[in-house]
Amino acid sequence: YRGLSIDFSHLLDESDDYDVIIYAGKEPNVRKFHAHTVILRARSPYFRRALSRDWAKKENGSIVFQKPNIAHEVFDVILKYIYSGTADLLAQEGGIILNLLTASDELVLQELIIYAQD
Amino acid sequence: MSSRKQPKGKIRPPKKPNSADAQFNDNWDRLAQAIREIHKKNASILSFEELYRNAYNMVLHKNGDKLYNGVREVITQHLEEVAVSQVVPAFPLSGASSSQTNPNGAGGANFLKVLKTVWEDHTTCMLMIRDILMYMDRVYAKTANVPLVYDLGLDLFRDTIVRSQNYPIQNHLLEVLLQQIKLERENEIIDRTNVKASIDMLLELTDASTKDTVYATDFENKFLETSSEYYRVEGQMLVGEYDAPEYMKKVDKRLNEEEQRVRHYLSQTTEPKIRNIVEEELISKHLKTVIEMENSGLIPMLRNEKMDDLGRMYKLFGRVVKGHDEMKSAISDYIRELGKAINETVTSNTTAEGGNAASGDKQTGATVAVRWVQEVLDLKDKFDKVQNLALSNDKAFQTSFNEAFEYFINKNSKSPEFISLFIDDNLKKGLKGKTEEEVDSVLDKTITLFRFIGEKDVFERYYKQHLAKRLLLGRSVSDDAERGMIGKLKVECGYQFTTKLEGMFNDMRISSDTMTDFKEYLDKSVLEKPKLDLSVTVLTSTFWPMNLSASPRCNLPPELTKACGTFQNFYLGRHSGRRLTWQSNMGTADIRGSFKARKHELNVSTYQMVILLMFNDKQDGESLSYEQIKGESDIPEADLKRNLQSLACAKYKILVKEPKGKEINPGDQFNFNNDFTAPLQRIKIQTVASKVESEGERKETREKVEEARKHQTEAAIVRIMKDRKTMEHNLLIAEVVKQLQSRFMPNPALIKKRIEALIEREYLERATGDRRVYNYLA
């Protein structure tokens, strides 16, 4: 599935058809991410609910989602993991990994928890 | 809410203990407020991320139980409010007054509608609450072993609304549901959507103690009880008001409606239960009443061949345990009754005939037999049709019908003779103008009656007699037809049954060859040729039904005696050691009679020829008395009377009798009828070929049958004992019965007598020690 994984991660980098904007991190360390609800909802039970019609908030045609309690460095890893199914954990500092574990638990990313623990 | 407990366990990131509590209170307040907003349908102002994070933090900080209980409290409060503000005001006016003021159940329908809205709101809210509390479900509910929040919501709804302790919601709900169903049963249009919503709601709620649905625990039994009562009353009303076909249509409709009802808005698990109730109340309880309804019940349906109604009854009654049994026995009784009536017309006919038996209108005798068989066949046809069109060819019904036919057919002791006569009637040449196919199909049907005969050996005896007459008098419609019939009998009873019949055919064929040879022999020989054409059929005595010992006497004219002698010499010359006995009662003759108007060729029996030839020597007008004819011819009295009757009292009066009359009496005088005229040149004087036997003949046949049975029984005993060598009495009897029952039903006393006879003749002996056991003596 490597090809699939790589192609999907490109979606994240070069996306011009995103439909959700996510702001991760606390002011002033906020970063803006572009993503696709269909992928987020398929991969995470948390996002399945968060981005459902009942809860999603739209601004100018896109859904806007704030995630202030997760640092953007951590969220970056998470988002890549959601898209490609892999995460380059060796390149990360230990502190980030610990935060990654906590965030994965909050977002119910069972797979990533197991991956990070290994 | 605030407590001063120190946090336990490992030291957390720098947070004051107080601030943890404050954090909790703050988080919880927001959540509780959010749930209230959800209840108010104001979710659009809420942030999922924030609420989820609040709940997540509370669970993370070991406040899952507080959160869980808090949620329970908020939801309960809300539902209490809903009960008071929405559900209770929608209560329909209760009891009897409601049906008066609200005959269409509009109040009830509205109540269900309100409940539907309340339920839908609740489930929608619970889905959203479940969304923001997902972390609580995943982490807290699992470890604390409490229901997931959505299920908690269902339980709260059950206890706060459906089974509210404070308001009689449950009573109203059940009452309204049952009332709606009742209205629908009475052909009112109800809003099924609302009923279905409530039913679905009850199906989604679970009873805590039984783990079954609230539908099953609270509703279903009440529904079944009221249905029972409803159909109990309806059943009584319907049987009183409608005839059987209408009644069954109504029941059919009810069954259908209940099935539809279940499909549309009840649980499938209720289907067999409600079906049982309708079947019990509308079918089982009124089985007999409907079957026995005067003018419209089962018997009238059969009488008028109402196949649709019968089919409906079969299908309906098949639903209940006793249904088909009751039908079967009623139909069987009816067949027996009809059969009895057929038998009675025959006996009343024959006894009426008995009065003028001497006049012996024997043709009527055969007609009675043919009519009896035809009526039985018609009856069989009728019930085959019923079986086929209405009873789905149900084997169990067929068996019981067959038993009924067997019963009444064997009640008529003459049935074997009648059936043989009927076949005779159909196989006779040139009768009725039926095509071969028609005759064949009639004979096929006759075989079905033959199967019912218990005394097949008696039938065989009659069949042999009738076949003999057909063959010897040349009256068979065709060899093919005869052989076809024998083939059918062979299929039914096996090879043994028909060997003798086939032997009779063989004799006919050999005789025809013999006659060709005889003619050649006469042509070549120097002997004086007989002055008449003699045709002889040589019959093997064991195949044919003639009685050798009582070989009929008759003084044949000298010419004939001489011709017979010539044949005898020819035949015995070819087959030494055989004995020929002349059966003068069986032959026919072609003679020429000269009457005043013209000459006629007369085809007569041998006896009639003997009688007519006596008049050759007489002057015109000279008469012969009965006694003279009897003395000179030596023909047995019964035969003589019958033949004189054919000559003097039937269609062609070759002789004139004084005094006139239908009966032949001693002292009667006979004259040659010189004035005789007839349109045809060739005339056949009908002899009565087949007839129902007189009482005397019947007794004789009986005796012969009994005698034959003795032999067959002994043969069976010897066969079995030869095989087994030693056998216990009861087992032997059973085996003998088994072997013989295809021909007749031997009674144990007869078998016992035969065993004793065989012991006497030293075929068997009683075992020493056990008198109940026999040994075979080789």
Side-chain angles (χ1 to χ4, degrees):
Chain A
Y1 304 109
R2 257 191 77 229
L4 182 82
S5 172
I6 292 166
D7 290 345
F8 267 66
S9 54
H10 288 324
L11 276 179
L12 206 51
D13 304 335
E14 305 159 7
S15 123
D16 55 358
D17 60 350
Y18 63 88
D19 59 356
V20 56
I21 300 163
I22 301 168
Y23 296 96
K26 262 190 195 101
E27 291 285 355
N29 295 320
V30 176
R31 193 179 141 191
K32 183 178 176 186
F33 293 91
H34 290 166
H36 306 80
T37 50
V38 60
I39 290 178
L40 297 180
R41 295 190 70 191
R43 297 274 293 156
S44 144
Y46 174 88
F47 282 117
R48 182 152 61 248
R49 286 164 174 79
L51 302 177
S52 73
R53 198 170 301 161
D54 282 337
W55 297 108
K57 304 274 184 297
K58 278 194 175 183
E59 277 171 30
N60 303 323
S62 290
I63 296 171
V64 177
F65 190 80
Q66 313 268 358
K67 197 59 195 146
N69 64 333
I70 296 179
H72 64 77
E73 297 89 346
V74 173
F75 196 77
D76 188 47
V77 178
I78 286 174
L79 207 54
K80 277 182 179 142
Y81 180 78
I82 285 178
Y83 272 71
S84 68
T86 57
D88 187 4
L89 296 183
L90 296 176
Q92 310 297 337
E93 300 170 29
I96 293 208
I97 300 216
L98 201 65
N99 287 335
L100 180 67
L101 275 173
T102 318
S104 300
D105 178 48
E106 185 190 339
L107 302 186
V108 198
L109 292 165
Q110 211 56 39
E111 233 181 73
L112 185 54
I113 297 172
I114 294 162
Y115 191 85
Q117 278 170 347
D118 291 349
Chain B
M1 276 285 181
S2 66
S3 77
R4 296 262 165 191
K5 268 186 206 154
Q6 295 289 327
K8 288 176 200 161
K10 57 179 160 181
I11 294 164
R12 299 202 165 269
K15 267 183 185 165
K16 293 174 223 154
N18 265 352
S19 97
D21 270 357
Q23 186 67 39
F24 168 81
N25 285 335
D26 187 40
N27 281 344
W28 169 241
D29 284 346
R30 282 163 192 250
L31 269 172
Q33 187 52 40
I35 293 172
R36 282 185 206 106
E37 293 299 337
I38 289 172
H39 281 142
K40 282 189 225 153
K41 300 179 186 173
N42 271 340
S44 59
I45 59 159
L46 302 173
S47 159
F48 173 84
E49 193 280 328
E50 193 190 321
L51 296 170
Y52 181 93
R53 180 153 42 85
N54 284 349
Y56 161 74
N57 279 325
M58 286 173 77
V59 174
L60 203 63
H61 295 105
K62 306 277 181 240
N63 286 318
D65 57 337
K66 285 182 189 160
L67 172 63
Y68 193 88
N69 291 331
V71 169
R72 185 210 304 275
E73 219 165 279
V74 173
I75 295 173
T76 309
Q77 257 176 27
H78 168 70
L79 289 176
E80 283 290 353
E81 264 172 50
V82 167
V84 181
S85 65
Q86 296 183 57
V87 181
V88 172
F91 279 170
L93 300 172
S94 66
S97 64
S98 80
S99 60
Q100 279 166 11
T101 52
N102 266 325
N104 298 326
N110 183 56
F111 174 71
L112 294 182
K113 206 165 162 184
V114 168
L115 212 54
K116 177 170 181 271
T117 315
V118 166
W119 167 249
E120 281 168 1
D121 288 350
H122 177 71
T123 48
T124 311
C125 292
M126 283 314 300
L127 287 175
M128 298 184 79
I129 294 169
R130 181 187 67 177
D131 284 352
I132 54 175
L133 297 177
M134 180 169 61
Y135 195 83
M136 179 184 83
D137 270 348
R138 278 188 66 246
V139 177
Y140 171 74
K142 254 183 207 153
T143 46
N145 199 21
V146 291
L148 298 178
V149 71
Y150 186 83
D151 296 335
L152 171 72
L154 294 182
D155 290 348
L156 293 177
F157 192 87
R158 175 194 66 207
D159 297 336
T160 321
I161 305 280
V162 174
R163 288 178 176 171
S164 166
Q165 297 294 313
N166 303 330
Y167 315 102
I169 299 175
Q170 186 181 28
N171 283 346
H172 280 282
L173 175 58
L174 296 179
E175 202 176 295
V176 167
L177 285 174
L178 296 174
Q179 184 207 24
Q180 291 284 308
I181 290 168
K182 184 163 184 259
L183 286 171
E184 195 177 49
R185 281 183 179 143
E186 283 159 4
N187 292 324
E188 302 273 349
I189 305 288
I190 62 161
D191 187 345
R192 285 178 165 185
T193 331
N194 292 330
V195 181
K196 182 173 165 45
S198 290
I199 296 291
D200 285 348
M201 172 185 86
L202 295 179
L203 279 167
E204 266 187 67
L205 302 176
T206 307
D207 181 77
S209 57
T210 61
K211 301 291 173 211
D212 209 341
T213 63
V214 172
Y215 171 90
T217 51
D218 294 11
F219 171 75
E220 195 179 47
N221 281 338
K222 284 232 163 57
F223 168 68
L224 295 174
E225 273 165 33
T226 51
S227 299
S228 262
E229 177 57 18
Y230 183 84
Y231 284 117
R232 193 181 60 77
V233 173
E234 167 146 311
Q236 283 164 352
M237 186 274 285
L238 289 177
V239 283
E241 265 177 45
Y242 294 98
D243 64 7
E246 277 306 309
Y247 181 84
M248 293 191 303
K249 279 180 199 160
K250 298 267 182 222
V251 176
D252 230 2
K253 190 165 162 258
R254 280 309 194 190
L255 283 163
N256 198 26
E257 280 171 8
E258 291 301 330
E259 198 204 320
Q260 292 293 322
R261 183 172 352 275
V262 170
R263 186 166 327 142
H264 279 109
Y265 57 78
L266 299 179
S267 161
Q268 277 307 314
T269 55
T270 307
E271 205 277 326
K273 297 174 190 164
I274 183 67
R275 178 157 33 89
N276 279 344
I277 283 172
V278 182
E279 285 167 356
E280 170 67 18
E281 295 298 335
L282 295 188
I283 304 175
S284 288
K285 286 199 175 165
H286 302 291
L287 270 182
K288 284 217 165 183
T289 319
V290 175
I291 285 177
E292 287 165 5
M293 273 186 178
E294 232 178 290
N295 303 324
S296 72
L298 180 55
I299 304 306
M301 285 177 201
L302 289 168
R303 194 183 301 131
N304 303 318
E305 308 207 338
K306 301 278 190 203
M307 296 303 175
D308 288 350
D309 292 335
L310 286 166
R312 186 170 290 117
M313 184 181 271
Y314 173 77
K315 280 206 200 90
L316 271 185
F317 286 19
R319 289 165 165 270
V320 302
V321 186
K322 286 265 175 201
H324 278 173
D325 288 347
E326 293 283 351
M327 267 184 94
K328 251 186 332 210
S329 75
I331 301 178
S332 293
D333 287 351
Y334 182 54
I335 293 175
R336 278 167 210 241
E337 199 181 295
L338 292 175
K340 197 175 157 208
I342 295 175
N343 285 345
E344 272 166 6
T345 59
V346 170
T347 39
S348 68
N349 261 324
T350 41
T351 45
E353 212 189 315
N356 57 350
S359 85
D361 195 352
K362 307 286 187 184
Q363 212 57 39
T364 321
T367 318
V368 167
V370 171
R371 209 181 58 218
W372 181 84
V373 175
Q374 193 56 57
E375 280 180 25
V376 177
L377 280 179
D378 290 348
L379 196 64
K380 184 82 175 58
D381 268 353
K382 182 188 172 103
F383 283 93
D384 281 348
K385 212 162 96 189
V386 170
Q387 169 73 353
N388 191 10
L389 296 177
L391 305 178
S392 309
N393 288 318
D394 187 317
K395 287 253 163 55
F397 275 78
Q398 188 65 62
T399 309
S400 116
F401 291 3
N402 286 351
E403 277 164 10
F405 272 95
E406 204 173 312
Y407 173 81
F408 84 78
I409 285 173
N410 287 304
K411 273 275 163 189
N412 176 9
S413 60
K414 292 177 187 167
S415 55
E417 184 187 358
F418 281 7
I419 291 172
S420 176
L421 274 173
F422 182 82
I423 296 170
D424 186 60
D425 194 57
N426 277 285
L427 285 175
K428 264 190 216 160
K429 199 178 277 180
L431 281 176
K432 309 279 188 291
K434 283 179 189 157
T435 67
E436 235 170 87
E437 287 77 23
E438 281 171 339
V439 170
D440 200 54
S441 94
V442 169
L443 293 179
D444 270 339
K445 284 183 192 164
T446 317
I447 284 288
T448 64
L449 297 194
F450 168 76
R451 279 183 206 137
F452 296 138
I453 299 177
E455 300 183 303
K456 297 210 166 51
D457 55 343
V458 178
F459 171 85
E460 186 195 1
R461 190 160 286 274
Y462 282 109
Y463 192 82
K464 240 158 84 173
Q465 277 174 21
H466 296 145
L467 174 63
K469 282 181 182 160
R470 285 200 299 280
L471 290 176
L472 294 177
L473 300 176
R475 298 191 62 180
S476 276
V477 64
S478 78
D479 254 25
D480 283 352
E482 289 287 357
R483 286 181 192 281
M485 189 64 209
I486 289 174
K488 293 186 213 300
L489 291 172
K490 200 181 207 165
V491 169
E492 291 302 315
C493 294
Y495 163 79
Q496 240 189 326
F497 193 81
T498 53
T499 36
K500 287 186 179 175
L501 302 179
E502 279 164 352
M504 289 164 75
F505 272 99
N506 231 16
D507 280 350
M508 295 304 289
R509 194 172 44 75
I510 292 169
S511 292
S512 133
D513 294 348
T514 307
M515 284 326 289
T516 319
D517 295 349
F518 181 53
K519 282 207 179 78
E520 257 173 50
Y521 163 82
L522 286 179
D523 286 344
K524 283 180 191 160
S525 84
V526 293
L527 284 172
E528 189 195 344
K529 283 182 187 135
K531 295 207 172 63
L532 49 94
D533 281 336
L534 180 69
S535 173
V536 182
T537 318
V538 182
L539 314 177
T540 311
S541 59
T542 48
F543 294 164
W544 295 73
M546 286 83 198
N547 194 339
L548 272 184
S549 57
S551 176
R553 306 144 299 163
C554 173
N555 292 331
L556 295 173
E559 285 292 334
L560 194 56
T561 314
K562 209 174 153 199
C564 289
T566 311
F567 177 79
Q568 206 152 340
N569 287 336
F570 158 76
Y571 187 81
L572 295 177
R574 303 178 125 213
H575 309 278
S576 63
R578 292 197 184 170
R579 196 160 64 93
L580 290 177
T581 309
W582 296 92
Q583 301 283 327
S584 47
N585 57 331
M586 306 298 293
T588 61
D590 288 330
I591 53 174
R592 195 165 297 136
S594 309
F595 299 92
K596 217 183 267 175
R598 60 190 282 200
K599 287 186 178 178
H600 283 283
E601 220 168 82
L602 305 176
N603 176 262
V604 295
S605 70
T606 308
Y607 283 152
Q608 287 163 1
M609 175 196 70
V610 169
I611 295 164
L612 289 176
L613 287 183
M614 283 181 199
F615 287 89
N616 267 351
D617 312 331
K618 299 293 174 278
Q619 302 293 316
D620 268 3
E622 199 180 329
S623 64
L624 283 170
S625 71
Y626 173 77
E627 284 75 11
Q628 275 173 303
I629 297 172
K630 182 170 162 7
E632 213 170 303
S633 67
D634 205 18
I635 297 171
E637 194 152 351
D639 287 327
L640 178 61
K641 279 188 177 174
R642 192 144 49 93
N643 280 288
L644 279 170
Q645 228 168 4
S646 331
L647 288 168
C649 312
K651 188 176 172 193
Y652 301 115
K653 293 187 173 56
I654 314 294
L655 297 180
V656 181
K657 185 176 84 84
E658 281 297 333
K660 301 219 178 310
K662 286 231 154 195
E663 291 171 41
I664 308 294
N665 292 310
D668 284 353
Q669 293 287 323
F670 297 91
N671 258 316
F672 181 67
N673 183 6
N674 215 350
D675 298 329
F676 175 80
T677 55
L680 291 167
Q681 203 256 324
R682 200 185 140 81
I683 293 165
K684 186 175 176 67
I685 306 295
Q686 292 284 352
T687 33
V688 182
S690 352
K691 58 191 162 68
V692 175
E693 290 190 314
S694 69
E695 276 317 307
E697 289 168 308
R698 186 176 310 286
K699 214 175 147 194
E700 204 179 302
T701 309
R702 257 292 138 196
E703 280 163 11
K704 284 185 195 160
V705 168
E706 293 303 335
E707 197 57 35
R709 284 183 182 177
K710 281 185 193 171
H711 294 310
Q712 286 168 10
T713 311
E714 287 188 356
I717 297 169
V718 171
R719 230 177 5 249
I720 294 162
M721 289 305 293
K722 199 174 175 180
D723 184 40
R724 307 282 178 93
K725 304 298 181 218
T726 177
M727 212 171 179
E728 199 269 327
H729 177 79
N730 286 338
L731 292 175
L732 178 58
I733 300 257
E735 190 59 30
V736 172
V737 169
K738 206 174 129 198
Q739 287 207 3
L740 293 177
Q741 64 190 0
S742 70
R743 295 179 56 77
F744 65 94
M745 204 55 191
N747 78 53
L750 168 78
I751 302 174
K752 199 161 174 247
K753 264 192 185 157
R754 289 301 102 207
I755 294 173
E756 274 155 15
L758 287 168
I759 291 174
E760 223 162 82
R761 275 145 53 207
E762 300 193 333
Y763 281 94
L764 307 177
E765 64 169 12
R766 290 187 195 276
T768 41
D770 192 347
R771 308 265 306 153
R772 305 280 299 164
V773 173
Y774 307 111
N775 294 328
Y776 180 68
L777 298 174

